[in-house]
């Protein structure tokens, strides 16, 4: 396991107006699980391919444990990679797929065999060693891809949206399995996804990317609980953006004043966001700050219901709370828990 | 409507006629092939078992294998078989190597360039066979461009004979057959997930290992169709060996032509036709059987 350092990585694809990766600098500590999170086209996969050696950066350096590997071919970097399409070798059995990296490293059959069976045990596929990839289910193929990447004891495990083809249930169980395996082996891992829930579940650290740059970098708790920019806030599921003024330690929006300790960076003219899950509705005016409006829409969704409230200014905010039996057209009050309120520069 | 009808009809009442088998659709083609291929070739094969006689086209005479004994007892005759096999085999192998390289170039090219490269690869097929062959004569002749070049460099003292040798025949054939091979292999390459060779690279495979351990095994189906097409076209080619190999090219096809058109010994010519057919079928089934065995375990179909 190793520490990976990226400095000022830049990649401009021929014909593109803006760089796909625009001066990314990042340190991935030894043994940490770091996720690059962002919408498609934000440069996260390009960054990953540069670390893997499948694509050359136009500028910048990649170090593994202080050693410059920028100009080393993919074959010599000692990485283990799981591709979005899995890229299993269709003409090889499960065991041959897993053994491939060891074979390329010149290990003899006798040395390979115990390593391969240990890797297959780790992903609970020992009984399918002689099958071919097309005979396996999607989840089993996923595990083969993971075993194949782990067996070479890579300096860094690289995963490019590996679960995007799986259905929700299988994806969740694979996430938990990946969490368990990477933590028990203490692996340095770099993961790419556009799914914020997946990023929150798996990561020690999340790097949110947008337009080739790092938007915010922090623990899942920091990214979710204290998004620094509107982009991160929206990507992490925040909504209900309202224009506001900041006055010392208070925010004024929609004619309501709310106490809030804020970052120094928030200007006087700013935006607030209210997390839909942190809102509650009531017919009677609650204590403390609250917004008054007319319930425009109530949609039952099982565990929670989605309520859209139209404010006197015509703006709408959405609350997600357990079903509370309110009907559209009713006059309601919307209040919030302190940590559901966030303020940003516009 | 059809669904309600089916529900109303009691099961097994025979209310629904099974649709006619689609196998009937091959009937017109089969009839056509019977009259234009099986009948004449069968007739020729039967003719080969009649005593050799110049000018005899009919089925008279006793059944005999004398023609075959004659063929295999005289080196002048059976050496044509060996030479034909050698020239078409070598042509096929050289075509496979060049075709594979070209297919890789097309496969890895940018989509915008791909069409142009395919057009260039197909270009030999756009020129008439006669024009193409005379073009090669300008290059390969005793006073041709290649000899002038080598003489000019002082590498040789006198022109080397290339035209009217097997080498010229192979050059001519490879030139036309490369497109068939390249396109067959490309079809197989296009079925490979581009991440698969990349994955091999991340696991430590160099370029050669990616080619031999990943790409070649995965393109066996395309390679097999390319090999069968090119081999059967080479072994049965007539114009290129006749023009570039000279009258005594020693290929079976030119020999067949002489039997039918010059000596008019159709019955002995029929022996050559039968042997050519048998040899082609043997090689093709071998290639296809080997390919099927190599891909049987992992191919989905």
């Amino acid at each position: 396991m190793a520490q990976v350092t990226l400095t000022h990585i830049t990649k401009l694809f021929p014909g593109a107006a803006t760089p796909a990766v625009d001066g990314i600098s990042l340190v991935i500590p030894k043994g940490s699980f770091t996720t690059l999170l962002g919408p498609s086209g934000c440069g996260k996969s390009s960054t990953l391919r540069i670390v893997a050696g499948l694509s050359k950066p136009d500028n910048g350096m990649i170090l593994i444990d202080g050693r410059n590997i920028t100009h080393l071919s993919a074959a010599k970097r000692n990485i283990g990679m799981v591709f979005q399409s899995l890229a299993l070798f269709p003409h090889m059995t499960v065991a041959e797929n897993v053994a491939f990296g060891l074979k390329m490293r010149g290990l003899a059959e006798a040395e390979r065999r115990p390593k391969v069976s240990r890797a297959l045990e780790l992903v609970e596929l020992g009984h399918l060693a002689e099958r071919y990839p097309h005979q396996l289910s999607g989840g089993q193929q996923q595990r083969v891809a993971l075993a194949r990447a782990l067996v070479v004891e890579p300096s860094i495990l690289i995963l490019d949206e590996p679960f995007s083809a799986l259905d929700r249930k299988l994806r969740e169980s694979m996430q938990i399995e990946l969490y368990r395996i990477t933590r028990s082996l203490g692996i340095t891992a770099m993961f790419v996804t556009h799914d914020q829930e997946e990023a929150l579940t798996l990561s020690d650290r999340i790097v949110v990317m947008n337009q080739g740059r790092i938007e915010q970098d922090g623990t899942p708790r920091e990214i979710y609980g204290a998004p620094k920019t509107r982009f991160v806030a929206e990507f992490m599921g925040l909504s209900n953006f309202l224009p506001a003024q900041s006055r010392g330690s208070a925010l004024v929006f929609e004619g309501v004043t709310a106490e809030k300790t804020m970052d120094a960076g928030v200007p006087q003219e700013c935006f607030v966001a209210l997390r839909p899950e942190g809102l509650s509705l009531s017919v009677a005016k609650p204590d403390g700050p609250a917004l008054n409006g007319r319930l425009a829409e109530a949609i039952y969704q099982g565990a929670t219901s989605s309520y859209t409230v139209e404010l006197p200014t015509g703006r709408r905010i959405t609350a997600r709370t357990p079903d509370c039996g309110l009907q559209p057209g009713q006059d309601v009050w919307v209040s919030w828990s302190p940590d559901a309120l966030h303020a940003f520069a516009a | 409507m059809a669904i309600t009808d089916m529900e109303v009809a009691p099961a097994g009442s025979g209310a629904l006629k099974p649709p006619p088998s689609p196998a009937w659709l091959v009937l017109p083609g089969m009839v056509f092939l019977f009259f234009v291929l099986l009948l004449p070739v069968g007739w020729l094969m039967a003719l080969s078992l009649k005593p050799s006689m110049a000018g005899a086209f009919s089925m008279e005479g006793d059944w005999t294998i004398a023609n075959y004994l004659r063929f295999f007892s005289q080196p002048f005759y059976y050496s044509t078989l060996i030479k034909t096999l050698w020239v078409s085999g070598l042509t096929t192998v050289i075509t496979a190597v060049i075709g594979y390289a070209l297919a890789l170039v097309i496969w890895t090219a940018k989509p915008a360039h791909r069409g142009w490269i395919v057009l260039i690869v197909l270009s030999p097929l756009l020129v008439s066979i006669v024009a193409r062959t005379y073009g090669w004569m300008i290059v390969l002749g005793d006073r041709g461009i290649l000899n002038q070049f080598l003489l000019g460099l002082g590498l040789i003292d006198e022109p080397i004979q290339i035209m009217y040798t097997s080498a010229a025949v192979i050059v001519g054939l490879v030139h036309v057959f490369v497109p068939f091979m390249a396109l067959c292999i490309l079809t197989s390459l296009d079925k490979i997930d581009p991440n698969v060779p990349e994955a091999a690279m991340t696991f430590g495979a160099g370029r050669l290992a990616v080619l031999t351990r990943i790409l070649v095994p995965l393109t066996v189906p395309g390679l097999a169709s390319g090999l069968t097409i090119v081999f059967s076209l080479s072994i049965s080619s007539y114009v290129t060996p006749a023009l570039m190999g000279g009258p005594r090219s020693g290929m079976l096809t030119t020999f067949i032509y002489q039997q039918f058109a010059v000596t008019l010994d159709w019955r002995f010519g029929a022996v050559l036709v039968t042997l050519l057919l048998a040899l082609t079928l043997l090689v093709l089934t071998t290639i296809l059987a080997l390919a099927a065995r190599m891909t049987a375990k992992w191919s989905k179909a």
Side-chain angles (χ1 to χ4, degrees):
Chain A
M1 298 309 126
Q3 172 181 292
V4 180
T5 311
L6 282 71
T7 50
H8 304 295
I9 295 293
T10 302
K11 175 80 186 178
L12 181 68
F13 286 108
T18 53
V21 183
D22 196 358
I24 295 278
S25 294
L26 192 62
V27 178
I28 298 164
K30 201 170 177 161
S32 98
F33 195 112
T34 298
T35 296
L36 303 183
L37 174 67
S40 57
C42 74
K44 58 191 193 303
S45 284
S46 302
T47 307
L48 204 71
R49 288 175 62 82
I50 288 168
V51 175
L54 295 172
S55 171
K56 289 247 171 290
D58 297 323
N59 212 335
M61 264 198 319
I62 309 150
L63 311 174
I64 290 186
D65 278 342
R67 180 165 156 255
N68 187 348
I69 58 150
T70 317
H71 300 290
L72 215 57
S73 75
K76 293 183 180 139
R77 289 190 181 192
N78 191 35
I79 48 175
M81 184 153 176
V82 179
F83 288 80
Q84 185 170 11
S85 66
L86 300 185
L88 296 178
F89 306 129
H91 59 304
M92 296 183 195
T93 63
V94 167
E96 285 165 350
N97 262 282
V98 176
F100 187 80
L102 300 173
K103 215 178 205 171
M104 290 299 113
R105 281 163 175 74
L107 265 71
E109 163 79 35
E111 292 172 279
R112 293 200 299 260
R113 205 193 309 249
K115 283 176 188 274
V116 169
S117 48
R118 224 176 311 135
L120 285 175
E121 286 312 320
L122 190 67
V123 296
E124 292 160 16
L125 277 184
H127 59 297
L128 297 177
E130 297 312 314
R131 296 276 184 93
Y132 283 84
H134 78 271
Q135 298 168 312
L136 305 180
S137 71
Q140 289 167 337
Q141 292 184 358
Q142 199 83 57
R143 285 168 219 247
V144 177
L146 189 58
R148 183 175 70 166
L150 289 172
V151 76
V152 296
E153 292 163 27
S155 307
I156 178 166
L157 176 67
I158 295 178
L159 304 110
D160 186 6
E161 308 211 23
F163 304 144
S164 58
L166 302 180
D167 63 63
R168 190 188 171 89
K169 221 172 154 185
L170 195 54
R171 189 161 66 224
E172 282 170 4
S173 78
M174 283 304 300
Q175 285 167 2
I176 290 163
E177 193 158 352
L178 180 63
Y179 185 94
R180 175 177 66 75
I181 290 171
T182 50
R183 298 314 191 281
S184 70
L185 298 178
I187 280 177
T188 311
M190 205 173 165
F191 188 88
V192 153
T193 184
H194 61 266
D195 179 337
Q196 35 106 358
E197 274 180 48
E198 186 164 274
L200 292 171
T201 307
L202 285 169
S203 320
D204 297 320
R205 172 146 163 263
I206 296 174
V207 178
V208 184
M209 287 183 68
N210 182 27
Q211 295 181 337
R213 300 213 176 107
I214 295 178
E215 196 83 17
Q216 190 175 349
D217 172 358
T219 63
R221 222 172 278 277
E222 286 165 355
I223 299 284
Y224 185 82
K228 284 210 173 88
T229 65
R230 181 165 176 170
F231 175 83
V232 177
E234 279 185 84
F235 206 79
M236 297 312 291
L238 262 174
S239 55
N240 300 328
F241 290 89
L242 301 166
Q245 281 93 41
S246 78
R247 300 209 178 127
S249 63
L251 289 162
V252 182
F253 55 95
E254 304 290 316
V256 176
T257 305
E259 295 294 316
K260 177 82 182 173
T261 45
M262 278 168 290
D263 285 355
V266 177
Q268 201 178 355
E269 294 295 320
C270 62
F271 268 90
V272 294
L274 293 163
R275 189 177 295 287
E277 295 79 17
L279 303 182
S280 43
L281 300 184
S282 57
V283 179
K285 186 179 189 308
D287 300 336
L291 295 167
N292 183 230
R294 187 183 60 87
L295 185 60
E297 223 170 47
I299 300 169
Y300 180 74
Q301 290 170 326
T304 60
S305 291
S306 169
Y307 295 100
T308 304
V309 177
E310 192 172 304
L311 302 175
T313 54
R315 296 194 181 89
R316 288 174 164 227
I317 59 175
T318 301
R320 238 185 306 282
T321 70
D323 187 35
C324 56
L326 292 167
Q327 293 304 317
Q330 269 183 289
D331 196 58
V332 292
W333 290 90
V334 183
S335 56
W336 50 88
S337 62
D339 59 357
L341 177 67
H342 299 270
F344 310 98
Chain B
M1 286 309 288
I3 293 170
T4 25
D5 287 347
M6 278 170 71
E7 282 166 350
V8 168
S13 71
L16 280 172
K17 271 189 197 165
S21 161
W24 287 104
L25 294 175
V26 302
L27 191 66
M30 294 296 281
V31 170
F32 180 76
L33 278 181
F34 178 78
F35 283 105
V36 305
L37 185 73
L38 287 181
L39 205 60
V41 171
W43 183 78
L44 261 184
M45 287 166 86
L47 202 60
S48 74
L49 294 168
K50 296 290 176 178
S52 165
M53 196 195 304
F57 312 128
S58 64
M59 277 294 176
E60 314 154 2
D62 302 324
W63 296 101
T64 170
I65 56 162
N67 293 335
Y68 288 89
L69 293 176
R70 176 179 156 205
F71 181 88
F72 284 108
S73 61
Q74 297 204 29
F76 175 76
Y77 295 143
Y78 65 71
S79 65
T80 56
L81 194 68
I82 296 166
K83 184 165 182 189
T84 303
L85 201 57
W86 163 247
V87 168
S88 42
L90 199 58
T91 301
T92 310
V93 171
I94 295 171
T95 308
V97 173
I98 299 174
Y100 210 103
L102 269 176
L104 284 175
V105 169
I106 301 171
W107 188 50
T108 48
K110 291 192 185 103
H113 300 164
R114 196 174 163 134
W116 292 107
I117 303 176
V118 170
L119 195 66
I120 294 167
V121 169
L122 287 176
S123 63
L125 303 177
L126 304 178
V127 183
S128 117
I129 186 162
V130 179
R132 194 170 53 228
T133 307
Y134 283 105
W136 277 115
M137 287 182 182
I138 295 172
V139 177
L140 301 176
D142 285 357
R143 312 176 121 264
I145 295 168
L146 185 63
N147 270 315
Q148 299 280 1
F149 179 71
L150 294 174
L151 283 168
L153 284 180
L155 291 172
I156 52 173
D157 296 327
E158 51 189 68
I160 354 168
Q161 160 126 39
I162 307 169
M163 268 324 282
Y164 312 119
T165 65
S166 298
V169 175
I170 292 173
V171 168
L173 291 178
V174 167
H175 184 207
V176 219
F177 295 154
V178 155
F180 296 102
M181 185 67 86
L183 293 182
C184 282
I185 294 168
L186 185 62
T187 312
S188 267
L189 282 173
D190 278 336
K191 288 184 189 148
I192 300 177
D193 170 4
N195 283 340
V196 163
E198 286 190 338
M201 277 153 64
T202 66
F203 290 120
R207 283 162 168 269
L208 187 68
V210 170
L211 183 69
T212 57
R213 290 176 186 274
I214 307 293
L215 297 182
V216 170
L218 286 176
T219 47
V220 161
L223 208 48
S225 32
L227 291 174
T228 51
I229 290 174
V230 171
F231 184 80
S232 45
L233 288 176
S234 310
I235 203 167
S236 59
S237 63
Y238 171 71
V239 178
T240 305
L243 292 180
M244 295 187 72
R248 264 171 269 166
S249 73
M251 297 283 281
L252 212 45
T253 46
T254 46
F255 196 24
I256 291 172
Y257 173 79
Q258 284 164 10
Q259 295 306 309
F260 279 83
V262 183
T263 62
L264 293 181
D265 192 347
W266 281 42
R267 291 173 169 181
F268 188 59
V271 169
L272 308 179
V273 171
T274 309
L275 289 174
L276 183 66
L277 188 64
L279 194 64
T280 310
L281 283 177
L282 182 72
V283 172
L284 297 198
T285 47
T286 310
I287 293 173
L288 292 175
L290 279 176
R293 216 175 68 181
M294 287 165 83
T295 59
K297 279 195 177 155
W298 57 268
S299 62
K300 280 164 226 171

